[in-house]
Each structure stands twice: as structure tokens, then as C-alpha cells.
């Protein structure tokens, strides 16, 4: 079955540290990948997405992700985190099945950034 | 753009009553809307997919008669939790799809509805 794995459940960083959140998926077909962020008390927001083309995708708020097909990975990165990046981050892959799209989410990574 | 609203944001009800949650796409038409349930410290679990004008498609293990979904228009879907019980207490989130063909659809999420059944 298709699945998405996020390796780190909790990450604690200091401000200005670099961030990399791992995401691996298991799906043999064409994949479209997403990273969503959920700030405390807020709804899920789209950070970035990959459909095709340049495997290095830039999103909002200085985030980027790299799709590495051979590794089935779509890791999220940010060179220098801020306190305001404290949130939960979800990787997701879209599965087109039965005539509709279905987002499969990873378990999420809770990021805490300390000043 | 791509704003999705949900109403109500919080609801407390007595066991045995029914609760309706609305999901609206405010600035785009959503052929497909999705309903998720999020358990504490867990990821989102897809409950069902609703298409405007047709019956919803439920995920395995989700009771159709318990969670009634209606997608009356291209901007409105409703989830009704019928005869709610304490175990139905959860955070319910909807999303609306951009309707792009194939698997290139982007989903935009509502703010969620916290349901507490006493």
C-alpha cells in the first residue's frame, strides 16, 4: 500500500540553525508531492508542491524541497529557521485512484524553534 | 486566493444528537471536497471524498450512515455526524480540490471544527 514516512516526529532547533525534515514515500507510479504546515491553532497551509520539472522546489517563507526519485524522497529544507517556524509539518503524496485524488499524509514532524 | 472556511469552529453537543459542519470554498469552485479527521498528535485520516452532485466515496472503516456528506454545490459540502457519541469527539477538517485533472490537484484546507460530544 502507498505510504508516506516522516522520520523525525519531534525536532528542536535554535534560531538560525538549518533545517532538514525527511520524507519518504512508497509508490511506484508518477508521484505528486506536497509539504503542508500547521502553525499552532491554525489550519493546514500549503508550503510547496512538486508535480514535474525541476526537482528542487521553492515554496513560501524560504522553504524548499528536493525530489529525489531514486531515493523515493522529498525532504524539506530551510537554511536558517526562525522562531515563527515553530509548527507541525506534514509531507503528503497524492494518489489518483478510482477517478479521484487522495492525499496520503505522513505522521507529521513537530518543529520547535527556540530563540 | 484558495480560501476554505468551515463552520462552526467549535461545537459541544449531547450524546445522541446530530451535528452539521459546513465547508465552503470562498474564492474558487471545488468539484471535489474532502473530509478528514485528525486525532490528537496524529496525522490526518481521510474519511470521505465528496463530488458535487454525486454520492460521496467513503474510506474503508468509515460508517456512511454515521457521517452523512452532502455536496450541494461547487462551493459547499456538509458533514453531518448523526447520533453523535463521545468517541466521535475529534477535530474534523475539510479540504477543497482545485479540480485539476489526473493527480495534479492541490487541496486547500479549512481551519477545522472541534467537536466535543458529552
Amino acid at each position: 500500500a502507498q505510504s508516506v514516512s516522516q522520520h523525525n516526529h519531534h525536532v528542536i532547533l535554535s534560531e538560525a540553525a538549518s533545517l532538514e525534515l525527511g520524507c519518504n514515500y512508497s509508490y511506484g507510479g508518477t508521484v505528486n508531492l506536497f509539504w503542508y504546515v500547521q502553525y499552532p491553532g491554525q489550519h493546514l497551509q500549503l508550503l510547496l508542491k512538486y508535480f514535474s520539472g525541476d526537482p528542487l522546489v521553492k515554496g513560501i517563507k524560504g522553504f524548499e524541497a528536493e525530489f529525489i526519485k531514486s531515493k523515493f524522497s522529498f525532504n524539506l529544507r530551510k537554511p536558517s529557521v526562525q522562531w515563527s517556524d515553530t509548527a507541525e509539518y506534514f509531507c503528503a503524496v497524492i494518489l489518483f485512484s478510482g477517478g479521484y485524488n487522495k492525499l496520503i499524509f505522513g505522521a507529521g514532524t513537530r518543529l520547535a524553534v527556540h530563540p | 486566493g484558495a480560501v476554505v472556511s468551515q463552520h462552526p469552529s467549535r461545537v459541544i453537543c449531547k450524546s445522541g444528537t446530530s451535528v452539521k459542519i459546513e465547508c465552503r470554498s470562498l474564492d474558487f469552485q471545488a468539484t471535489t471536497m474532502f473530509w478528514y479527521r485528525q486525532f490528537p498528535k496524529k496525522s490526518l485520516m481521510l474519511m470521505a471524498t465528496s463530488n458535487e452532485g454525486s454520492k460521496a466515496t467513503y474510506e474503508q472503516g468509515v460508517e456512511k450512515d454515521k457521517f452523512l456528506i452532502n455536496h450541494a454545490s461547487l462551493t459547499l459540502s456538509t458533514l453531518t455526524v448523526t447520533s453523535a457519541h463521545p468517541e466521535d469527539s475529534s477535530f474534523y477538517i475539510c479540504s477543497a480540490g482545485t479540480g485539476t485533472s489526473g493527480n495534479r490537484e492541490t487541496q486547500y484546507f479549512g481551519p477545522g471544527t472541534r467537536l466535543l460530544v458529552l
Side-chain angles (χ1 to χ4, degrees):
Chain A
Q2 292 76 19
S3 66
V4 177
S5 299
Q6 289 183 242
H7 317 301
N8 314 100
H9 295 295
H10 289 92
V11 173
I12 301 172
L13 294 173
S14 298
E15 275 194 315
S18 64
L19 170 72
E20 181 160 4
L21 302 182
C23 173
N24 285 91
Y25 62 91
S26 64
Y27 181 57
T30 301
V31 287
N32 295 311
L33 297 149
F34 303 80
W35 274 98
Y36 284 88
V37 61
Q38 190 172 29
Y39 297 102
Q42 296 190 28
H43 63 286
L44 276 166
Q45 298 174 38
L46 181 67
L47 262 184
L48 48 79
K49 60 186 177 184
Y50 171 79
F51 285 167
S52 64
D54 189 344
L56 185 61
V57 181
K58 295 198 182 296
I60 60 171
K61 304 187 182 188
F63 285 91
E64 64 179 29
E66 185 173 14
F67 171 56
I68 302 179
K69 189 175 181 180
S70 60
K71 294 185 178 181
F72 297 89
S73 70
F74 190 55
N75 292 355
L76 181 71
R77 298 195 293 249
K78 185 169 183 178
S80 176
V81 294
Q82 301 172 312
W83 175 78
S84 58
D85 293 323
T86 295
E88 189 152 19
Y89 293 82
F90 293 94
C91 180
V93 61
I94 203 161
L95 172 66
F96 185 67
S97 174
Y100 68 93
N101 295 305
K102 177 177 171 178
L103 264 182
I104 300 173
F105 283 90
T109 298
R110 197 172 291 271
L111 171 66
V113 180
H114 294 304
Chain B
V3 179
V4 177
S5 69
Q6 271 183 253
H7 179 79
S9 58
R10 293 174 184 267
V11 58
I12 301 173
C13 69
K14 292 182 180 178
S15 186
T17 60
S18 294
V19 174
K20 181 188 278 188
I21 304 170
E22 290 187 350
C23 176
R24 293 180 186 273
S25 57
L26 298 185
D27 51 2
F28 67 103
Q29 293 185 327
T31 308
T32 310
M33 287 185 169
F34 305 83
W35 287 96
Y36 295 85
R37 188 169 174 177
Q38 187 175 31
F39 294 95
K41 299 184 180 180
K42 298 275 188 181
S43 188
L44 281 76
M45 179 193 81
L46 179 66
M47 297 174 66
T49 302
S50 77
N51 292 287
E52 187 265 339
S54 62
K55 290 183 180 179
T57 303
Y58 289 81
E59 295 299 302
Q60 193 172 7
V62 178
E63 298 176 60
K64 300 179 184 181
D65 296 331
K66 175 77 171 174
F67 299 100
L68 299 178
I69 291 171
N70 182 273
H71 196 151
S73 73
L74 287 173
T75 58
L76 174 64
S77 177
T78 59
L79 167 68
T80 302
V81 183
T82 62
S83 187
H85 291 285
E87 58 266 29
D88 299 324
S89 299
S90 192
F91 195 53
Y92 293 88
I93 303 173
C94 76
S95 72
T98 55
T100 311
S101 62
N103 61 349
R104 290 195 167 206
E105 185 171 56
T106 300
Q107 290 183 29
Y108 293 92
F109 287 80
T113 297
R114 175 95 38 205
L115 170 64
L116 177 61
V117 184
L118 301 176

